[in-house]
Structure formats: C-alpha cells, structure tokens
C-alpha cells in the first residue's frame, strides 16, 4: 500500500451535491456555484486515502475518480 | 384548516403492477412493500391513471431518465389527473426548464445556496428550532409536525427571501393547494399560483423603490449572459419555486427523521451519545425516507429499460423508490445510520439536482441536533395517529409524540 492516490472530479458529471466536500474537506474545493473540483493537483496526502475512497463511493453522480499511481 | 382537507379520491388500487397510483392511501401510508412488488414485476410499470403514466422501478432506470433531457422533458414535473397548459405563469425555472435554457437559470440560483452560504444561515435556523422547542418543552403530548417540523423550513426560507416569517400559514396553504389538492383539482392549482404571484408581485414592486439585502432583491438584480435583468415573470417563477420546493420537502424530511427516531430508541441513543454521527444519519434518513417524487414528460420516442414510450407520456420519477433498490443499497429496507456508502438520489440526479440540498441538509442536521439535545426521550403517542402527505412529497403531517421518559 505504498502507491499514491490522485483524485479527479469530472466537471461535466459533477452536479454540486457537495458530498465530497462534506466527507473529505481537505481534498475538494467548491466553486461559486457549489460544484466541486479536486484541491490542488488532486494528490491525496498520506493518511487521507480512506477519505478519498469514501468521497468517491458517496458521489451520487459517479463524478469522482481515484487513480492509484 | 385547509391542511386536513384531502384531494378527491381515486378508485382504490387492487392491481399495483398494472394500475399503480401514487396518490392511493395505501401508497401514502406504507409505499415500501408496493415498490418491492413493482420492482419484482420489472424495471418499468405502467398505469392507465393520470392519462397514462410509466414508472421506472430501479435506481439505474431512474438515473438514466434523470440524465436524458433529450427524451424526457422537465416542462411537466408533477403527475396529475390533468395536463395544465404550459405558460410562463405556471413555469418555475429552472426546475421546469430543459437545456439550453436550464443552465443559466440554475446558475443564477446556486450561489445563495452553497454550503458556505448555509453556514451563515445556520445560527438563525438554530435559534428558530430553539424558539419552537421553548414553546412546547413543558408539555407531555404534542403534534411534532404541527409544532416543530412544519415551521423550521418555512421560517428559514422566509428569512432568506426577506419576507415575513409570520406569513408562514399562507405559504403552507398555497403549497398544499399546489402539491396535493392540485393533483386532482386544477382550479385549486391555478388559484394558488395566482395568489402567490400577487403576493410576490407586491414584494417585487416594493423593492423596485427600496432594494433590500435578501433573495428577492438578489434575483431582481441578477443579469443574464447579455447583461439584461430577468423578466418579472422569471423572477416570480423562481420565487414560487423556492417557496414551494423549500418548505414541504424539508418539513417532510425532518418529520420522517423524528418519526424514525421516536420508534427506534437504539438509533436515538446512539445519536445522543455520538452527535458527530448526525450528518451521516441524515444521509441515511434521506435515503430511507426520501420525500420527493418528480416526473418527466416524454418529448421524443425512446425506451425505458426496453419499454417503448411516446411523446406525451408522463413518467413518474420516484427517487424514494430508487433509494430502496437492493441492487444498489445492501439492506435497502433497513435504516443503517452509520452506512458508509450512500449514493442516494433524494435530491435528484443529473442537471436538476435540488438547488436547496445544502439548505435542507443543514436544516435537518440542526433540527435533529437541537431536538435531541433538549428532548432525549420521546415516543409515538399510542393514542394519536400519524398521517402522511400524499403524492409528490411524502412526510408526516400529524406526528403525535409523548415527551419524556416512558412511565
């Protein structure tokens, strides 16, 4: 389990449910409309991997990718 | 007393699979076994009622329709006995809009409803909850729907709109006429829309001379992409939408949540011991007791899970039934307040995701937190009857509780 995770929000799928921001506030940011994008370049800092998966599995629009690098 | 009046009755349903009716008393009272029966019959069912209507029974079919505005229009979003003519007077952008008109209309409404905006409103909602609790905490018996759940969303949205919280009863009457009585009686629908338009028209006029710092002035000051202000009819439609969509729905969601907690001491005790679990529990209660059922009108020939549908057909889009689909949610019929994976569709899916979802979530969390802090012990009153609203929005309209420890 040494691989790093990177997250990406598909802006065409995100509808602003904001579940990711509630569950993993360190990993996501919302724009003025409340739509989400990944914080920074999407790299998941060590220790926050569970939150990344949790956000993905609670997104009603299936808009979040978690990429194992 | 308009609240207790019920719409004209339909013949009772004896064959749910071929003759379903989401306004039937059995559906209103306990829809969950009906949805299981319909799902077992197939991914889509049909009824001749409401001038002919289809209903997808699975989460996946609901998702497909919600994401297909090319074939399924939102110009009619409530299944009724009649098909009222579509005019600017009864449209409510963006919920009744399709692409490409939808996106700019929705983007206009989104900024005042972001999670950050809701944080600013939260102290007012907390105060509203406590003012309400102050009013009945000394009593042993009460109707929690009438005394608590009903007033939280109506006062919160009135506060946002900048209209008097004391006009609440008026708003509740209009909503009942539009969402319940209006399903079967078009005059009620038109009368309510007319009264609301006159009410908000006066508020718009007043702000033309004296702008205020509220949602009505915000909409009046909004500009479209070309820099033009919105037409009065657009502002009116959006105001009607915010009022209609913001009240019954959250009233229902808070009520169903308290109803569940009244009957489930283990969940209640856990949330009192671990209040940090409340946001997660709110998601699960939203899944298990989703209040809102929408609809679409077919505008282009297509199929739903293989079943052909034609322009003019109505489709009942039951997010509540989708949220009970065991293919997506293990133990779908159980309320699991610490459920970790929960892609529920209580606020819809696709471009019409509820504009007020962040508001509703905040109200639910605050309403449950404040209630549980001050009233840890409560139960359904066996001497009373719980009643549920019918049709588009389902939630308890009478919620008789006994407060305090059982004797």
């Amino acid at each position: 389990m040494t691989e790093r995770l990177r997250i990406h929000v598909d802006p065409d799928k995100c509808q602003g449910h904001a579940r990711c921001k509630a569950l993993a506030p360190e990993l996501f940011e919302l724009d003025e409309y409340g739509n989400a994008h990944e914080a920074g370049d999407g790299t998941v800092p060590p220790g926050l991997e569970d939150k990344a998966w949790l956000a993905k599995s609670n997104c009603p629009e299936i808009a979040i990718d978690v990429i194992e690098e | 007393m308009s609240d207790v009046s019920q719409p004209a009755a339909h013949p009772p349903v004896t064959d749910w699979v071929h003759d379903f009716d989401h306004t039937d008393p059995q559906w209103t009272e306990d829809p969950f076994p009906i949805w299981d029966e319909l799902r077992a019959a197939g991914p889509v069912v049909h009824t001749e009622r409401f001038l002919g209507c289809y209903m997808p029974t699975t989460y996946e079919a609901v998702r497909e329709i919600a994401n297909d505005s090319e074939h399924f229009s939102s110009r009619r979003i409530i299944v009724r006995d009649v098909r009222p003519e579509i005019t600017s007077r009864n449209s409510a952008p963006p919920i009744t809009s399709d692409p490409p008109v939808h996106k700019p209309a929705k983007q206009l409404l989104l900024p005042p409803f972001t999670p950050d905006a809701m944080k600013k409103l939260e102290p007012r909602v907390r105060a509203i909850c406590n003012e309400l609790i102050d009013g009945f905490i000394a009593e042993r018996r009460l109707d929690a729907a009438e005394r608590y759940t009903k007033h939280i969303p109506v006062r919160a949205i009135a506060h946002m709109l900048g209209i008097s919280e004391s006009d609440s009863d008026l708003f509740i009457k209009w909503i009942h006429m539009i969402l319940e009585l209006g399903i079967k009686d078009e005059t009620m629908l038109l009368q309510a829309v007319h009264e609301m338009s006159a009410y908000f028209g006066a508020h718009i006029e007043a702000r033309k001379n004296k702008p205020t710092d509220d949602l009505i002035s915000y909409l009046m000051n909004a500009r479209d992409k070309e820099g033009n202000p919105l037409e009065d009819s657009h502002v009116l439609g959006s105001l009607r939408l915010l009022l209609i969509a913001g009240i019954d729905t959250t009233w229902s969601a808070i009520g169903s949540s308290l109803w569940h907690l009244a009957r489930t001491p283990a969940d209640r005790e856990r949330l009192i011991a671990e209040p940090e679990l409340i946001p997660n529990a709110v998601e699960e209660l939203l899944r298990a007791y989703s209040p809102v059922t929408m609809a679409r009108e077919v505008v282009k020939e297509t199929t739903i899970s293989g079943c052909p549908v034609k322009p003019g057909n109505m489709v009942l889009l039951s997010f509540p039934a989708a949220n009970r689909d065991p293919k997506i949610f293990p133990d779908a019929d159980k309320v699991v307040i610490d459920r970790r994976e929960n892609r529920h569709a209580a606020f819809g899916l696709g471009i019409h995701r509820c504009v007020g979802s962040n508001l509703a979530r905040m109200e639910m969390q605050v309403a449950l937190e404040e209630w549980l802090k001050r009233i840890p012990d409560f139960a359904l009153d066996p001497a009373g009857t719980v009643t549920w609203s019918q049709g588009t929005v389902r939630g308890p309209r009478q919620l008789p509780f006994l407060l305090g420890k059982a004797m």
Side-chain angles (χ1 to χ4, degrees):
Chain A
M1 293 299 287
T2 52
E3 72 261 31
R4 280 167 80 91
L5 298 184
R6 184 190 294 272
I7 50 167
H8 175 65
V9 181
D10 183 338
D12 292 331
K13 288 187 183 166
C14 175
Q15 298 294 345
H17 294 260
R19 297 289 298 128
C20 55
K21 182 68 181 171
L23 292 166
E26 306 89 338
L27 300 179
F28 297 90
E29 281 167 11
L30 302 181
D31 66 16
E32 61 171 312
Y33 301 114
N35 291 328
H37 53 94
E38 58 276 10
D41 68 354
T43 303
V44 176
L48 294 179
E49 292 85 354
D50 280 357
K51 283 195 174 185
W53 293 112
L54 191 64
K56 176 185 164 79
S57 63
N58 281 278
C59 174
E61 307 293 348
I62 320 182
I64 300 171
D65 269 336
V66 179
I67 306 128
E68 298 178 62
E69 294 185 326
Chain B
M1 297 305 290
S2 63
D3 222 53
V4 290
S5 57
Q6 284 297 316
H10 284 172
V13 174
T14 52
D15 175 358
W16 282 102
V17 172
H18 301 99
D19 187 33
F20 73 82
D21 186 331
H22 63 298
T23 67
D24 187 89
Q26 201 185 325
W27 180 303
T28 302
E29 184 66 27
D30 187 18
F32 312 110
I34 298 172
W35 297 339
D36 288 343
E37 186 186 337
L38 298 184
R39 205 178 294 115
V44 58
V45 291
H46 178 257
T47 183
E48 292 292 337
R49 297 175 189 230
F50 311 101
L51 307 174
C53 177
Y54 292 86
M55 174 186 162
T57 64
T58 65
Y59 181 95
E60 279 312 325
V62 166
R63 171 191 294 287
E64 271 176 41
I65 293 166
N67 280 314
D68 180 359
S69 56
E70 185 192 340
H71 297 96
F72 301 95
S73 167
S74 284
R75 60 189 200 173
R76 289 194 173 89
I77 45 162
I78 298 182
V79 169
R80 303 179 189 277
D81 278 354
V82 290
R83 302 270 168 88
E85 193 192 340
I86 294 160
T87 68
S88 69
R89 286 202 324 265
N90 62 20
S91 76
I95 199 171
T96 54
S97 316
D98 293 314
V101 175
H102 169 268
K103 191 171 180 177
K106 176 134 187 199
Q107 282 189 332
L108 245 125
L109 287 185
L110 287 170
F113 289 95
T114 60
D116 279 349
M118 293 308 107
K119 270 186 205 131
K120 291 191 195 115
L121 182 65
E122 191 183 308
R124 178 66 203 132
V125 173
R126 221 171 268 288
I128 290 169
C129 291
N130 278 296
E131 286 160 22
L132 293 166
I133 295 172
D134 288 342
F136 57 71
I137 192 158
E139 295 172 35
R140 165 114 177 100
R141 295 193 125 87
L142 86 150
D143 179 348
E146 190 58 39
R147 304 285 295 279
Y148 190 62
T149 63
K150 177 181 181 173
H151 300 285
I152 299 163
V154 82
R155 290 201 195 173
I157 199 80
H159 183 80
M160 285 184 80
L161 289 171
I163 55 188
S164 171
E165 290 184 23
S166 63
D167 286 342
S168 301
D169 285 345
L170 202 55
F171 311 150
I172 288 165
K173 184 192 83 172
W174 290 331
I175 288 158
H176 183 60
M177 287 166 79
I178 291 172
L179 293 184
E180 294 198 68
L181 305 179
I183 289 182
K184 295 165 188 170
D185 184 348
E186 194 180 353
T187 11
M188 285 286 181
L189 171 68
L190 296 175
Q191 189 193 327
V193 169
H194 179 77
E195 286 180 24
M196 281 179 101
S197 303
Y199 178 89
F200 281 122
H203 276 283
I204 289 173
E205 282 308 315
R207 282 163 181 73
K208 281 182 180 162
N209 302 321
K210 224 174 136 191
T212 46
D213 179 24
D214 58 35
L215 213 40
I216 297 182
S217 285
Y218 169 86
L219 283 173
M220 291 171 64
N221 293 331
R223 296 289 178 269
D224 65 18
K225 288 260 182 306
E226 283 79 46
N228 302 314
L230 306 179
E231 298 197 4
D232 277 4
S233 63
H234 186 139
V235 175
L236 264 177
S238 292
L239 289 172
R240 278 201 309 267
L241 167 63
L242 292 177
L243 198 67
I244 296 172
I247 295 179
D248 245 32
T249 48
T250 317
W251 173 15
S252 298
I254 299 170
S256 297
S257 302
L258 283 178
W259 173 80
H260 171 79
L261 294 174
R263 301 159 72 236
T264 321
D267 285 351
R268 195 167 71 227
E269 283 155 22
R270 184 154 178 216
L271 293 183
I272 291 166
E274 302 171 53
E276 66 282 2
L277 192 59
I278 289 178
N280 202 82
V282 160
E283 297 305 320
E284 175 65 347
L285 291 162
L286 278 165
R287 181 195 69 80
Y289 302 110
S290 313
V292 183
T293 296
M294 285 277 100
R296 296 289 186 267
E297 183 178 0
V298 180
V299 285
K300 217 186 217 183
E301 208 166 296
T302 184
T303 58
I304 303 171
S305 301
C307 170
V309 290
K310 289 202 169 76
N313 291 153
M314 287 300 292
V315 179
L316 189 72
L317 209 53
S318 174
F319 299 112
N323 283 339
R324 294 280 186 144
D325 184 346
K327 263 204 179 136
I328 305 294
F329 304 99
D331 290 321
D333 276 332
K334 288 201 185 108
V335 174
V336 182
I337 56 169
D338 56 2
R339 189 183 290 273
R340 274 179 64 83
E341 293 190 13
N342 195 347
R343 291 177 195 236
H344 71 77
F347 294 110
L349 294 168
I351 60 170
H352 287 283
R353 187 270 300 171
C354 170
V355 157
S357 60
N358 299 311
L359 172 61
R361 285 183 158 115
M362 182 270 281
E363 288 180 26
M364 288 177 74
Q365 288 174 22
V366 170
L368 295 187
E369 282 167 12
E370 297 309 307
W371 178 287
L372 290 174
K373 252 187 245 167
R374 298 186 63 187
I375 311 173
D377 294 302
F378 58 103
L380 290 179
D381 181 353
T385 310
V386 178
T387 61
W388 300 82
S389 57
Q390 180 189 87
T392 301
V393 180
R394 181 178 184 272
R397 291 298 172 265
Q398 285 182 66
L399 200 49
F401 277 3
L402 291 177
L403 305 190
K405 281 208 189 300
M407 293 295 146

